Amino acid sequence: MLGLGSLVLAALSQPCTITVSGLPVPARAHHHLELDGGHVRLDGGALELRLEVEEVVVRLVGPRYTGGLRVRLADCVDGRVLTLQARARPATLRWRNPPADLVVRCVEDCVQGLLDAWTLADALPPIAVGHGRAVTLELRAPGYAPQRERITLQPGDNELPIALRRRP
């Protein structure tokens, strides 16, 4: 479920409302809006601020989503509602205690950027997963039995434990 957060800027006598869309409700607690060096929590209520400059950039900051919106005084007329669209960060995979020369490939429900070719685990590029995606990975390393893992990749950093069994 996607939630909306809002920020109300009072530009002179004209209020300007900014809504945040595309940010899942569970992510709200870990994200905030930044403007002019300060930050505003996304607690669901409206916040009124004075826009005392010609323009300001409002940024969504957090571990899984990002976004930005340039707001000008001229945008804050006639009760306009401006939308800051949250964008999911690409998933990055970090391995907890990986064996040397660990390689990985996606074998089921693969996404672009996580193809079916073997890749060194520490050389995987960031992967676009939207709001999250379950995939099945096959893991191999010299001296260890191959293993398949079903994991859910989230936007942003993903720390994945490795529990490969040594070959006898």
Side-chain angles (χ1 to χ4, degrees), residues 16 47-48 50 72-73 75 79 87 90 109 157:
C16 189
L47 179 68
E48 195 168 303
R50 288 264 166 223
R72 295 174 185 86
L73 281 172
D75 297 332
R87 295 183 320 271
D109 299 322
D157 290 339

Side-chain angles (χ1 to χ4, degrees), residues 15-96:
C16 189
T17 302
I18 299 170
T19 63
V20 177
S21 67
L23 183 65
V25 172
R28 295 174 62 85
H30 306 287
H31 291 76
H32 64 272
L33 296 176
E34 281 187 356
L35 92 141
D36 281 346
H39 70 276
V40 178
R41 291 185 44 170
L42 291 171
D43 59 7
L47 179 68
E48 195 168 303
L49 300 172
R50 288 264 166 223
L51 187 57
E52 297 175 355
V53 293
E54 184 61 32
E55 71 180 30
V56 67
V57 174
V58 178
R59 295 182 336 123
L60 176 64
V61 178
R64 302 222 182 268
Y65 293 85
T66 187
L69 182 66
R70 184 175 305 277
V71 180
R72 295 174 185 86
L73 281 172
D75 297 332
C76 299
V77 295
D78 302 326
R80 286 188 191 159
V81 176
L82 307 174
T83 301
L84 187 156
Q85 182 64 45
R87 295 183 320 271
R89 293 183 183 278
T92 55
L93 282 65
R94 302 198 195 299
W95 309 93
R96 193 177 320 139

